[in-house]
Amino acid sequence: MKDTANHYNPYGDDKVIAACSIFGMMDTSGRRFSGVDITKAIANMHDRGNGLGGGFGVYGIYPEHADHYALHIMYEDKLTQRDVEDFLRDNFHVAFAEEVPTRRAAAIKSPPIVWRYFVYPNSRRPADRSNDDYVVELVMKINTGFRDACVFSSGRNMGVFKGVGYPEEISEYFRLEEYEGYLWTAHGRFPTNSKGWWGGAHPFSILDWTVVHNGEISSYGINRRFLEMFGYICTMHTDTEVVAYAVDLLLRRHGLPIEAAAKVMAPPLWSHIDRLPDNEQALYKSLRQVYSSLLLNGPFTIIVAHEGEMIGLTDRIRLRPLTAGVKGDVLYLSSEESAIRLICPDLDKTWTPMGGEPIIGRLKTNKEGKAVTIEECAVA
Amino acid sequence: MPKYVIIGNSAGGIGAVEAIRQVDSEGPIAIVSDEPYPAYSRPMISEYLSGETSLERMLFRPRDFYRANGVDTIFGKKVSGIDTKESLVKFANGDTLRYEKLLVATGGVPFVPKTEGGDREGVFTFTTLRDANLISSKLENARSAVVIGGGLIGISVTQALVKRDIDVTIVELKDRILNVLLDEEASRIAGQAVLKAGVKIVTNSTVKQITGQPFAEQAVRSVILDNGDEVRCDLVVMAIGVMPRLDAVADSGIKANRGIVVDRYMTTSVPNVYACGDVAEAYDYVLGINRLTPIWPNAYIGGRIAGFNMAGLETEYAGGTAMNSMNYFGLAIVSAGLVTADGQPDCETLYHLNSETNVYRKVILRDGRIVGMAFVNDIDKSGIVYGLMRDGIDVGSFKRALIGDDFALISLPKDLRKERFGISLDSPLYGDQEDLVEELVLE
Amino acid sequence: MLKTYLPARFIVERNASRCIQCQVCVRQCGFDVHYYDEEDDEVRARDERCVACHRCVVFCPTNALTIRKNPLDYRENFNWRGEAIEDIIKQSETGGILLTGMGNDKSYPIYWDKLVLNASQVTNPSIDPLREPMELRTYLGRRPDKVEVDWETGKLNTRLTPLVPLEVPVMFSAISYGAISLNVHESLARAASEAGTLWNTGEGGLHKKLYKYGSNTIVQVASGRFGVHPGYLDAARVVEIKIGQGAKPGIGGHLPGEKVSAEVAATRMIPMGTDALSPAPHHDIYSIEDLSQLIYALKEATNYTKPVSVKIAAVHNAAAIASGIVRAGADIVAIDGIRGATGAAPKIIRDNVGIPIELALASVDQRLREEGIRNQASVVVAGGIRNSADVVKAIALGADAVYIGTAALISIGCHVCQACYTGRCSWGIATTDSYLAKRINPDIASHRLVNLLRAWSHEIKEMLGGMGVNALESLRGNRLHLRGVGLTDTELEILGVRMAGS
Amino acid sequence: MNPTATSIERSGTTVKIDASGVYYRDLNTVLREVVTGDVERIDLVNICGQRYIGTDLGREVEINIHGTPGNDLGAFMDGPRINVYGNAQDGCGNTMNEGEIVIHGHAGDITGFSMRGGKIFIRDNVGYRVGIHMKQYLSKVPSLVIGGTAQDFLGEYMAGGILVVLGLNLRAGETHKANFIGTGMHAGVMYIRGSVERHQLGKEVGIVELNAQDRENLDLLVAEFANHFGYDAKEILAGDFIKLLPLSLRPYGRLYAY
Amino acid sequence: MKRVYPREEVCIGCRLCEVHCKVEHSRSKDVVKAFKREQSVARVRVQENGPLSFALQCRHCPEPYCVYSCLTGAMHRDPGSGVVKHDPDRCVGCWTCVLVCPFGVLVRDVANHRIGPKCDLCPDRAVPACVANCPNEALVYAEEA
């Protein structure tokens, strides 16, 4: 099924165009909660999708395997599964493996076989390669080397669940009410062709980075060619994929803070930069000049998440909607406010960010042990 | 016995004949006139006198008109009275003629004031072909003439005389010529044209006496004005005006003031007796009263209305008003209705004067309706204005256009234009476009 | 600037022995080419203003006029040809975007001319349409996948969404009042009513007096939302969301203020004299789910009584976009190809953006079929349809119906001089100037349009008869009745037709 | 969802509808049904995301919405008066023809897009492109009053109507944040209370002093605004207003070569 | 009787009606000769006011005041056809008809002291030349409107 020419993008379109509803919620205190609320919320935006894609990203769900990379892999057939599992055993230490539990759901048609593997790089990892780089490389290998397999989740203590159907149907199928995480993202999709492929649903993910996206990135062609210089192989023929890789490149590999990465993807207009004080001007100019090919042009709203952090960002002229809400420690991001209100009627605060201004939620005690409030993060 | 008897063989009589024949193709008609000729155009006696037209061309209708319309002509016979009880027309020679329906269209007679020497040879009036012939015969040996009266008759005879190389002096009682027909401005322009033709005009004067030749007392030598001035002349034309010719109806019981009173159906106070033309006091739609309007078109139209009613087709006379067209001394002047707004309440006067070209246009409005008009020189579109006046159209919304250089039918508002074309609102020809011109104004 | 460097494009030739100085040409020219010199009692021409619309030629009572292309040749240069040179001169003299009117006039291949139709010989009979039944009726709209009937009672359980019948599968393209005169709108409306087809208001609203033709009217909802209000939507038979136009994909429109007359203003419901600016996008549609939102807003506003059409320009991803449009709830997808016309478009856009309609149609129809959703919407194509053969070929490629714009305008007088954007159309078509607009008499123009459709109907029937089918639906999407000549394998593959002879 | 399952309570001329879990299409069908007859007021409770409320009702009726209505609230609306006790989402008043929308909270992007009649009052902030392409024709002059502040492209392409931004939630010395205010504006008028920098304005608009007519416009609209949300109109009107007007009715008249 | 009615909504002001009227009333009936040799006169005239225009000729009024007012009988109505005709030989140019023509269509021929040629509804044709040759059907020959 990875033969994209025949499966996911059978018509050889430049990119598959899709639009959607997106939702994210995060308890910055780290408290974990089930997928019930987010399922209700995303389902409230049913009409933004067309039943050809739904998915969720959850953080903090595998505390018992927190040190292992949790690979979620979908297979078209058992034969492929055996080949891929051989490949996994060759390159990783596989701590635990099981089929991802599902329940029969009427709306879900011909689902693939979905397994999860908790793995750690074995001795085959070259010394000059970090664990993360090694995982990325092998994920790319599986995704390009095995016709009917797809790794769609590869981070630690997190997981992506997605498929063809409305998001509430996917949630029901994957029994998401049984998982608990401190950060959930969700997506309802409206692709313009019917060859719904489970791998084509959102979130798109590499390592623990997940991206859900609403909009169409008109600059996709150049974004993709730029990322290909850095070894990312765009197999999905979708503009969302480049966002995931761009985030991985900028944040993980180039070490930019999220605020700076946001200014790469949604840079201020030159007329705005020209008015900035000199030092800021130099910074913004450099970012825009160096990463001009990562300007995500065209309408988009994305929710990017990784361990301990959730970022909402719209394009620089806010062509797609994003509403934020806060209740206590919980940050909500949504295409529509009503979806938030459905699960939290008495928000402390709701607002819509300016275009290109990220809204960031971080665990109050993050990896560096620094306490951060949502309020501070929200004002970029 | 004729069913219809018409006394008078001019515009009114002919109008009546033509109307009767539209309704009744058979009822016998007799037309009576003391003149011996078929109907001719009286206003054209000026052209006749000047030699510009012939008797043949003056005929108002083709020679076979009477035969073709089945009209019995009793010409050259003077009517002496009417017996309305017996429905008889009485002739001077004692003959009588019974009628069922009678039209009195006897016209007018010239008004000749009593003047010392007024009975001399060479003193003429100017209303009939006979007058023109008499004057014409005098002109062989004449060099100069005095015309008493600067009205329409005076000017028309003056033009004929000028064309016959006669030096003319006009003596006018008032301060300007054509004062009954024209306002001061138009009158001034007309006066200039008359003077330019070599005519002398003496205003504010009357003729006190007409003197005779020293050795031929009966022949005119000069006139003495009321200020004592003497004007030499070989002939005098009395052109002061006409009065209704009422002799036929005297003692008939037919009610008359200055003229015979008729209602809107041209009926007199006596049943089956109608009157029209210069002899009748008919309805004037401008003034809203009955009065004398002794002009040719009104006579014809009045006769026509009378004819319809005589033949049994009840038809109301819309009324007429004073109206004149002049083409003398190279000047075109038309006027109708009120001459000035002086003394008229609630009137508004709009005018345009080009002092270089002497183009002059004037309209007088009351309540948005036209009650008077005068156009000098550029008269081509005056008929539209006259039509609006006759039909009592409210012109308030476009009144300024009436006197504009570009005035034409196109200047009227769309609805009115269409109405005048006879295109009804529900006709497919009406069109449902917005008024193009109004749109332009908005822009 | 003192002097333009542009030579006249056309030369006006006047045969002096025929010219009677009647000045009909002077009055008929919308561009003030002809003028009368009173002193010399002679009519002359300012050649440099001539756009070769031929109004004067046609109206000259003595046939004294001819318009010729200026034979002046630039130095031969395949790259720097006259047009390229003159465009640069114009822009250097004004600093502005070059405007043009009508459709793309460049030499892109016209695939209609490389497709040939089939006819029956021996193995099956052709049909004589003059005496035997021949059905052209077409229904536009969304159809369910299957018919459900309660066979016990015979009751039809399938509730069809509103479908709109066409007696001839040719509709009149969207041309807004403002770009063209009200008389042209009226002519199109009347002709559509008489011929049993639909006309399209374009994005400039519907004049009050044309509401009576509502049942044959497609009303457009475009980015400018001009004249869009509940009454307008209620008046229509079909509501069309205009996303794009073949002549200017991705471009908005500016109806200049001077064309916004009192009547145009009333119809668009904007003040007189202000520019009517149609933004490039609908500002409530930045994504496919927004389109869906607007489609359903319009369905809600009309209580689901009318099909909603979505019109797009044929662009690279037309197939995917069309698929999305159908999924977004549209009942009709209208696609306008690169040869689609316009009243005014930047020349550079018109001549360079978009793809030919034949290719777009073939791929859209194919995509919708592959996805099993072809029945969910009708496909209408536009952009340079010139004759009934183009119509038949479009239908064989998969269209339900076509739109004609330029052909309709030619029928009522247009000579395709491409000067629509000036608003000075001598034929009174592409103008709101009252003086010029009167030149279209709706009585005459609607009659000519009906004649055109009648003639095409006859021809379509002849072609169908030749193919041995007596209902248009048997041709629809039936690409076996098409063969290609002079096409590459790729072109044949995209068109989904076989090479002639195979 | 079956519309008959919707809970509908009638009392006199008021109808109360509990919309929890009701799909928008069913809700709007119910609204079309109940709006007939002598119903003057409809209270909608537990609204959460239902779209197109107020569309195709075509008459004056009061609709009170408790909750968060969905996108395109009052799209193509022609008559109703809507009060929202909560926030509104995107597209509120889209191409609205007549009627009134009062939002006791904030509203999203393109509020009042292409509206050609009626009034919208918003207590708090609004999103991007608010008042975009508002129009007017003769007596149909739409008004849009925003109590808080707005985001970018406020009044873009504005082709008519009156847009008022009161900035009531700005702190002393704080300027409005929106950029590209009135870009492409070619008719209508905008009044802004509080300050904006020149670079925040589109190049098609100019700042002018308010005249008596402007004051009259403001007095009326601010009075209505204050009345809806319990403010003191005088206090609001005492603030400094600027007026934005298009520099040309033909902003792109010189863009083309011929 | 049939009259010519203008449709100003679609009159385009081309004046081809005038051209064809001249030709119809020329000796040669040849358009070039009619103009170049004969100086024939058009009896229909197009009026223009901004964008508005229409062709106007004698209306042959049901109540022809020109006939009623004519001092000489030159202006007369043909009893059979109802056409209002003008006999130039009998006309003396008093202009009374000008004053009473509610359409202002009568044209003075000052030099010849008479009214110029007027519309005769083209007695030799079934449809008057102006109507037959109007390119936009802006003239209609009809019984009543």
Side-chain angles (χ1 to χ4, degrees), chain C residues 140-450:
Chain C
L140 297 183
R142 173 172 295 251
R143 292 147 170 82
D145 288 335
K146 63 177 180 183
V147 174
E148 284 174 28
V149 180
D150 182 340
W151 295 109
E152 298 277 301
T153 62
K155 189 173 164 282
L156 188 65
N157 287 337
T158 305
R159 203 174 134 240
L160 290 175
T161 50
L163 291 171
V164 178
L166 303 177
E167 295 305 328
V168 50
V170 181
M171 304 186 286
F172 300 129
S173 286
I175 317 176
S176 68
Y177 172 39
I180 56 172
S181 69
L182 183 57
N183 284 3
V184 180
H185 251 206
E186 183 183 343
S187 305
L188 294 167
R190 279 167 57 177
S193 296
E194 203 177 315
T197 184
L198 302 175
W199 73 290
N200 190 314
T201 61
E203 58 184 283
L206 179 64
H207 192 278
K208 281 193 299 293
K209 81 177 208 184
L210 302 183
Y211 270 54
K212 60 185 174 214
Y213 303 107
S215 58
N216 290 84
T217 304
I218 300 175
V219 297
Q220 266 198 344
V221 174
S223 63
R225 301 288 154 89
F226 296 112
V228 178
H229 55 92
Y232 171 79
L233 299 174
D234 286 343
R237 189 62 174 272
V238 175
V239 178
E240 181 168 277
I241 298 170
K242 180 204 171 178
I243 300 293
Q245 175 179 350
K248 43 179 171 179
I251 295 286
H254 298 166
L255 186 72
E258 63 260 20
K259 283 197 184 184
V260 182
S261 64
E263 288 292 299
V264 171
T267 303
R268 295 199 173 214
M269 301 172 80
I270 53 171
M272 212 164 66
T274 54
D275 274 1
L277 305 181
S278 294
H282 287 248
H283 282 288
D284 52 356
I285 305 179
Y286 293 152
S287 175
I288 193 86
E289 86 265 17
D290 290 352
L291 173 67
S292 185
Q293 186 174 311
L294 180 59
I295 289 170
Y296 281 96
L298 290 168
K299 289 190 175 192
E300 281 286 336
T302 55
N303 199 10
Y304 300 87
T305 57
K306 300 167 204 293
V308 173
S309 169
V310 175
K311 178 181 175 182
I312 57 164
V315 291
H316 302 183
N317 290 325
I321 294 163
S323 166
I325 289 169
V326 176
R327 290 174 195 293
D331 305 294
I332 300 167
V333 182
I335 312 160
D336 191 11
I338 193 171
R339 293 187 300 273
T342 177
K347 186 167 180 283
I348 206 76
I349 302 288
R350 185 196 73 172
D351 290 348
N352 295 286
V353 181
I355 65 171
I357 189 61
E358 302 91 322
L359 303 177
L361 165 60
S363 62
V364 165
D365 177 68
Q366 184 60 24
R367 174 76 62 96
L368 297 182
R369 284 174 196 285
E370 285 176 23
E371 296 184 14
I373 55 174
R374 180 63 184 80
N375 240 17
Q376 291 180 17
S378 295
V379 173
V380 174
V381 297
I385 301 282
R386 303 155 301 171
N387 52 43
S388 59
D390 290 354
V391 177
V392 168
K393 291 169 187 176
I395 287 171
L397 274 182
D400 287 280
V402 306
Y403 271 133
I404 57 167
T406 302
L409 297 187
I410 290 172
S411 149
I412 64 172
C414 170
H415 278 54
V416 200
C417 73
Q418 307 194 23
C420 323
Y421 63 97
T422 64
R424 300 303 310 159
C425 177
S426 297
W427 289 89
I429 297 168
T431 182
T432 53
D433 180 286
S434 309
Y435 180 72
L436 297 169
K438 289 188 299 177
R439 297 176 180 198
I440 294 299
N441 178 343
D443 292 345
I444 300 174
S446 60
H447 185 65
R448 295 179 74 105
L449 287 163
V450 170

